[in-house]
Amino acid sequence: MSIDLTLIWALLLATTVFLYVVMDGFDLGLGILFPALHGKVERDVMVNSVAPVWDGNETWLVLGGGGLMAVFPLAYAVIMPALYMPVILMLLALIFRGVSFEMRFKAETPGAQLWWDRAFSWGSYAAAFCQGIALGALVQGIRVENHTYAGGWWDWLAPFSLFTGAALVIGYGLLGACWLVLKTEGELQDRARRLARRLATGTLACIALVSLAMLILQPTFRERWLTFPSILLAAPVPILVALLAKRLFTGLAESERQSQAGVRAEERQVLWYDGVPFLCALWLFLLSYIGLGISMWPLVVPPSLTIWEAAASPSSQRFLLVGAAVLIPVILTYTGCVYWLFRGKVRAGVGYH
Amino acid sequence: MGPAGLAAVTAGWITTEAGRQPFTVYGLLRTANSVSPVAAPAVAASLTAFVVVYFLVFGAGIWFLFRLFSQTPHAHEPGPPRGQPIRTAGITPAPAVPSGTITGHAQQAAGE
């Protein structure tokens, strides 16, 4: 037995999906915050803070979807029909969100600007909600018979999936608010901090509720979390979530003290104080994701389909891995370059599109 | 000649798709066997939604283009800015940026 290519691919695709979730998460989060932040200048700064990176962030969605089709064709063939409605609605919402990035700056009247702002915000809400629904519907299980999807086109609709939809909207809102704490200053930053506090409380409540629901949902999930020895692996996750939550709130308080002190600290220090909440929010997402992985492993489509059953032939996997080995470092490099180039605070009136 | 490119691309595409029938993968997989288990009303609904959204979004884009076309140049209008990038990407009729003129402009504006 040589290297388990399927395992490598599963980890690679899990990483890709996670990168998509957090990166598009914070820029969708800005649209989610739009109803709370009204001013034209504020909204321009918000949009400009992600303008150079948002479409790069969505690369990972394409890579995740393409990778799933190529390497786990059976999973793709089951998941896509099962989640047809939420996926289509998400794509339509992303069209509006993406177009309004440019069009809201071209609007000639306040009325037109308002409609493009609505397109941006509603698109962000709908995309985040549909992604949450897709996650919930996948986790609660998809009916598979004879290697095909055996359900209808409304099977995704359930109280649990609607709740995970709402939870992801709140979670993305938290990422967006923490991003604004990092990227802005002055009054907008103060308001972002206040929003971040409320959204952090909401996100933590959602994490707790979804975690409890997961235990009821599938006996295998419950077994993972409550029996020895897998509990040794699972138990640190909620403990780390609690510690991170505490650090997130102290981080927000420190950032507030720094900005109110009025003393202009060194740039590196500012970056640290204002960056901690965002870092904590990212880690909250990572831990939730790891928690999900602990429950689902090694299933790719609960309740029955494992990664090995859904995988393509080893030769396909090997062929694609060569491409990925070239492509992923390239993507990571240019992504890193862009984030580095546009580091620091975003000022009003400065934008790159 | 304007629409000729579009007509050629569309004709080529129809030829490929229609000429391949009744196969999805020629000689290997029949179209009837490759249909995904999505209900017909779901496909109809998504197609309708895409048509509506494309008309809305493209309509807004074309309306905006015509607004730009309708503006005649003003006398003594300043040209595009020289010596600095005016777009991040894409092929534009803008003058090429002379080499060596971008001196940390973007970093300065965004970073500090």
Side-chain angles (χ1 to χ4, degrees):
Chain A
M1 168 86 196
S2 57
I3 315 159
D4 189 349
L5 279 173
T6 308
L7 181 63
I8 295 175
W9 264 113
L11 291 175
L12 205 59
L13 282 183
T15 311
T16 302
V17 171
F18 177 72
L19 285 173
Y20 171 74
V21 166
V22 289
M23 289 168 108
D24 213 24
F26 73 74
D27 57 50
L28 286 170
L30 297 186
I32 289 164
L33 298 180
F34 254 38
L37 299 161
H38 295 283
K40 176 174 161 36
V41 181
E42 283 178 331
R43 289 184 168 182
D44 284 355
V45 168
M46 287 165 74
V47 171
N48 281 333
S49 76
V50 291
V53 294
W54 75 273
D55 32 9
N57 295 348
E58 289 193 348
T59 308
W60 301 101
L61 181 65
V62 180
L63 195 60
L68 190 71
M69 182 181 80
V71 186
F72 298 103
L74 185 54
Y76 187 87
V78 167
I79 292 171
M80 287 299 161
L83 304 179
Y84 190 74
M85 292 292 279
V87 167
I88 295 289
L89 286 174
M90 176 192 81
L91 291 176
L92 292 169
L94 287 177
I95 291 176
F96 280 107
R97 204 278 299 242
V99 167
S100 45
F101 258 104
E102 304 297 332
M103 290 301 273
R104 62 181 297 286
F105 285 102
K106 308 288 182 203
E108 290 161 3
T109 59
Q113 166 109 34
L114 179 70
W115 276 104
W116 285 116
D117 277 0
R118 282 180 181 160
F120 185 77
S121 182
W122 295 351
S124 303
Y125 270 92
F129 189 58
C130 288
Q131 287 172 14
I133 284 180
L135 173 71
L138 176 68
V139 168
Q140 72 180 2
I142 290 175
R143 206 143 65 88
V144 181
E145 280 165 24
N146 296 326
H147 295 285
T148 38
Y149 175 56
W153 58 297
W154 288 100
D155 278 22
W156 51 271
L157 191 64
F160 179 71
S161 63
L162 291 176
F163 182 72
T164 51
L168 202 64
V169 170
I170 296 170
Y172 281 178
L174 172 68
L175 283 175
C178 291
W179 170 259
L180 284 181
V181 171
L182 171 65
K183 297 298 282 186
T184 64
E185 48 200 351
E187 204 201 328
L188 177 56
Q189 194 195 29
D190 288 338
R191 299 175 67 180
R193 254 193 302 266
R194 280 199 291 277
L195 284 168
R197 263 193 210 108
R198 275 188 285 174
L199 288 163
T201 314
T203 304
L204 291 166
C206 287
I207 291 176
L209 283 171
V210 171
S211 304
L212 288 177
M214 292 276 286
L215 295 180
I216 305 165
L217 218 53
Q218 302 265 355
T220 49
F221 295 171
R222 189 163 54 237
E223 212 171 282
R224 278 292 151 74
W225 286 89
L226 299 177
T227 54
F228 193 83
S230 57
I231 197 169
L232 290 180
L233 189 69
V237 176
I239 295 169
L240 283 173
V241 166
L243 289 174
L244 268 169
K246 191 170 172 295
R247 186 72 187 92
L248 175 61
F249 283 108
T250 54
L252 285 169
E254 274 171 22
S255 156
E256 188 171 20
R257 250 199 316 281
Q258 281 295 312
S259 78
Q260 280 175 353
V263 190
R264 281 207 62 82
E266 251 183 88
E267 197 187 347
R268 193 177 294 175
Q269 261 180 328
V270 172
L271 192 68
W272 171 248
Y273 282 118
D274 294 347
V276 166
F278 186 59
L279 219 56
C280 290
L282 290 181
W283 272 93
L284 276 180
F285 266 77
L286 181 62
L287 284 170
S288 305
Y289 197 68
I290 290 173
L292 191 68
I294 290 175
S295 298
M296 278 177 59
W297 173 261
L299 301 172
V300 59
V301 182
S304 58
L305 204 60
T306 68
I307 54 170
W308 295 283
E309 286 166 338
S313 72
S315 59
S316 303
Q317 293 185 47
R318 205 172 305 122
F319 176 73
L320 289 159
L321 196 58
V322 175
V326 178
L327 198 65
I328 289 176
V330 171
I331 300 174
L332 283 173
T333 308
Y334 74 64
T335 306
C337 281
V338 170
Y339 276 90
W340 178 249
L341 184 64
F342 291 97
R343 69 192 180 277
K345 300 288 183 187
V346 179
R347 303 262 151 76
V350 182
Y352 289 88
H353 285 259
Chain B
M1 278 304 282
L6 183 68
V9 169
T10 312
W13 189 42
I14 290 173
T15 307
T16 343
E17 294 299 319
R20 196 156 29 80
Q21 296 310 318
F23 292 105
T24 308
V25 182
Y26 198 77
L28 289 174
L29 181 66
R30 300 275 297 219
T31 307
N33 296 330
S34 59
V35 176
S36 56
V38 181
V43 180
S46 66
L47 180 64
T48 313
F50 269 105
V51 170
V52 170
V53 167
Y54 269 53
F55 266 99
L56 272 176
V57 170
F58 276 76
I62 288 169
W63 180 83
F64 179 65
L65 284 181
F66 277 119
R67 293 274 303 173
L68 292 182
F69 295 159
S70 69
Q71 287 169 21
T72 48
H74 305 291
H76 313 295
E77 194 178 9
R82 289 191 178 277
Q84 52 170 298
I86 60 169
R87 285 184 56 88
T88 48
I91 301 160
T92 64
V97 180
S99 60
T101 48
I102 311 166
T103 49
H105 227 89
Q107 290 95 322
Q108 205 186 344
E112 177 34 61

